[in-house]
Amino acid sequence: MSPAIIELKGVVKSFKSADGHARTVLEDVDFRLAEGEIVSLLGQSGSGKSTLLRIMAGLIGVDAGDVRYRDQPLYAPARGVGMVFQSFALFPWLTVQQNVELGLEARGIAPAERERRAEAAIKLIGLAGFEGALPRELSGGMRQRVGIARALVVEPEVLLMDEAFSALDVLTGERLRDDILELWSRREMPTKAILIVSHNIEEAVLMADRVLVFASDPGRVRFQLSVRLPRPRDPDSPEVRELIDEVYALMTAGAARVTGRAAEEPVRRSIAERLPEADISRMEGLLERLAGEPFDGRADLPKLAEDTELTDDELLPLAQALSLLQLARIADGDLHLAPLGRRYVEGDHTLRQELFGQQLLSHVPLAAHIRHSLEQEPSGALPEEPFLQLLSESLAAEHAERVLRTAIEWGRYGEVYEYDYNTGVIHLPEGEANGVKDEEADS
Amino acid sequence: MSDKQFFFPRQVVESGGNRWDWALLPLVLALLMLLAYGASQMARPYQVGEVLPLTLDPRYLPYYLLRTTLRMFLALGASLLFACAFAALAAKVRAAERVLVPLLDILQSIPILGFLSITVTGFIALFPGNLFGVECAAIFAIFTSQAWNMAFSLYQSLRTVPGELHEAARVFQLSGWQRFWRLELPFAMPSLLWNMMMSMSGGWFFVVASEAISVSNQNIKLPGVGSYIALAIEARDLGAIAWAIAGMLVGIVLYDQLFFRPLLAWADKFRFEEGSNEATPDSWLLTWVRRTERLRAIGLALVRLLERSFAVFRLHHDGTSIRARPAPANPMVSRVWDAAIAAAVLFAAWRLTVFIHAEVGWAEVLHVVVLALYTLIRVLVLIALAALVWVPIGIWIGMNPVWAGRLQAVAQFLAAFPANLMFPVAVVFIVRWKLNPDIWLSPLMVLGTQWYLLFNVIAGASTVPTELRYAAHNLGLTGWLKWKRYLLPAVFPSFVTGAITASGGSWNASIVAEYVTWGDTTLEAKGLGSYIAHMTAVGDFPRIALGIGVMCVFVMALNHFVWRRLYRLAEDRMHF
């Protein structure tokens, strides 16, 4: 076994939310990054994978557990770690050259030496000639190249990449990814291990020796997958496709399991369950695509992603939402159109909304609870705060907020209840109100 | 035959610089000479009681202008240092933050006049037998009108440094010192500069008050534009006032062209957000300096000196060293600190109660609160009136891109111009037509501050997205509906920003505007401002303190209950 560079044992991390409750983001995570490997962390947003990366970078401390870098406890960022950021994190007032020199300057390296090494790194990453440019003059892809050069110039043992390609368009991202893999295989960079946080399944499978899939609430490693294919890997080869399918199946396993069982024994869903953040018109679009040619009611998720040009973290919540509302079913990385989904697609606008509302009430406990509570009010209206409070007892504040937003949006569409943005009040749809009819100020 | 070659000595060849250097040389030399002369005049021997020669002869005005400007720049420098120290401390030490930020909030709403009478004796004692003591008092007074908003802006910027940049700085092992110069200060630069310009304008507003100092029944008038104006008012010399206005205009144009414009143009590279289509400011002087060889070399040498300091103040250990281990949080310490703060606040409240009870009495407090209500009504009514006038005009200008750029600059300039110079004219009018000062003095309060409304509304209107304009046009919005649904909501956020500044400025201006003298005529409007001004003239310290305290409470309450809420509303709902 190659020597470990970073080792985490039993790491627990929680954040304090606004109301003072602690939320566990990572629970008992063990992880080992060894020399000579590329590891990908996959998981939905909020699953704690970025937190884990920051713990390894020494940016965040842990509540419990042990973090070691080269067998030494890690309290703050170590010199041997370079990091590439999602938003590039370049200093806009420094030129490309100055940005790349930043880490060297901080270490007190003499100007001449600094210049030499920075120029070498800039050339390595293919930016020669742009030394004097300011970041704002560069395109996104070139900016990220600067970010990578800045990380490589300090000759890090470990390169941490936090969604480094997700702010770039697909083509640029692929180019950059291939360039890095090439540098890695030709041993042109001093880096001994790379950790990539990503939400792009294909990217993870193409790059990594190991793919770790994270589960959320609280974050923990759900599954680990070794990829032993030689690089460069062809994304269209059957081996790679199979692996991608496998990861899709694993990542949607949670949702599939629940709906799979729902037919026989009703699963008691929690009110404070995290709802997939899915936009309704996208859900409808996906459903229509699924019902039409060439899928005909059954689609391979990676194919669907390609066909709809959605990224994985856009597609997966949609699929999960459809399966939650039982308009579709996820099984083995495939999305199947449910009979109800077929009716939905064929129906007109009114029928669709009706179906949506009906499914929402029977399968989303939060929506049902909101509706039930409203019906008991003489005015048919309630402020959103109590619901938010209920949610934030078991979810982090921002997630609670987002879950309620989603529930409100869905409820509005299904005409289950309405919401007044100005006052933050949820109320029964007009004409359904129990007592006094609600006054609509702005309509 | 050998070519006869002629070699210049090395120094002559290499010391050349280029033609831009030579062209700029006179300007640089003249500036240095003026600075040296002004500085030598500031540190003359002086005994309290000595009368400083002062004349209304306009030929002396450039000299007075030099003295005043020098004072203002010294104060600006002091404010800058203060802002850096304050912001660094408040942004990095949590315990300090909990005391400093509320303290600054209070200091910010204390009108400058209050500081003068307290501090002047101390400063004179600091430099016995020298004019510099009095100069320091004047500089300090200007400092108090400049420092707070700069400190606040810097603190805000340090708090809002984007998370990933901060993380990048840490991952790449930047020390605190390196981080400040490489990340935090550059990030804060645009808003800091903007606030420096505001501070400079604010300083002009109180230039009269800061230069004419009364201490132990002595009236000291330091040579400067402020004293010149004070003298002109005593002598009822409208001509001299006109000269002072002209001189000030020249001064403002000069430091705008020679100082702020180049700085603004230079600081454009620190702009963080991208894609904003604001025109990049340009400055002839900066372009000029950038073309020189020598001056640039001097500048670069300074930068290199700073960069060399990075090698000294760097992190010598990384995150695996025991020295990087964060000290475990001690709940006792923070509890003791909380208790200490609470005790200090309680003690202050108790002292205040005793003080008010013993020195002024509760009836007086009630009286002052009533006066403050008068001033509050004035501020609100006048801002509403100014809004009625300037919002439609501002929208109209902002929608006409040809005019927007030019007129916005004019409005900014007008905001920088000290409106109190126009007060004597108002007094002459009011006396001539026998008008009621309670009503007719009020407009003076917004004379200077209304421009903030105007240029903010112009800025807001000019950023309305083109599609929205087309949509409004396409839908055929007209009349009141157009205003209600489209124009007013579109400029609301920038209007609120302008109104906040205008309201703060008007409160401060009330001290000058509600109590105006012209020779031996004194016009007074009932209000908190005139109360403070009157008590300052009389030298009744407890009542000054009371007036200032009440004004603080009112300004803070207004900010908290009205402006901040409107601001949040605007941020929440009405932006593009």
Side-chain angles (χ1 to χ4, degrees), chain A residues 54 58-59 73 75-79 85 87 89-93 105-108 136 143 150 421-422, chain B residues 164-165 167-168 170 172-173 178 182-183 186 269-272 274 310 314-316 318-321 325 573:
Chain A
R54 279 166 171 71
L59 290 167
Y75 305 116
R79 280 204 186 118
F85 294 87
S87 68
L90 300 178
F91 291 25
W93 39 85
E105 182 184 75
R107 273 153 230 224
R136 70 177 59 142
R143 281 185 213 176
R150 180 177 66 177
Y421 182 86
N422 296 338
Chain B
E164 290 211 324
L165 284 189
E167 287 178 346
R170 288 190 58 204
F172 293 111
Q173 310 283 324
Q178 291 165 340
R182 276 287 181 234
L183 173 60
K269 67 171 175 175
F270 299 120
R271 219 162 18 98
F272 188 72
E274 292 154 33
F310 292 163
R314 65 173 207 260
L315 284 179
H316 291 277
D318 79 344
T320 52
S321 151
R325 185 164 182 260
R573 294 184 39 203

Side-chain angles (χ1 to χ4, degrees), chain A residues 52-110:
Chain A
L52 190 72
L53 179 113
R54 279 166 171 71
I55 287 173
M56 293 165 75
L59 290 167
I60 305 179
V62 294
D63 298 339
D66 193 29
V67 184
R68 290 188 179 241
Y69 178 84
R70 289 282 181 204
D71 233 13
Q72 293 294 316
L74 188 71
Y75 305 116
R79 280 204 186 118
V81 174
M83 189 161 163
V84 180
F85 294 87
Q86 181 175 17
S87 68
F88 321 137
L90 300 178
F91 291 25
W93 39 85
L94 300 181
T95 61
V96 168
Q97 172 98 22
Q98 286 172 312
N99 262 300
V100 174
E101 280 184 24
L102 193 70
L104 300 174
E105 182 184 75
R107 273 153 230 224
I109 289 168

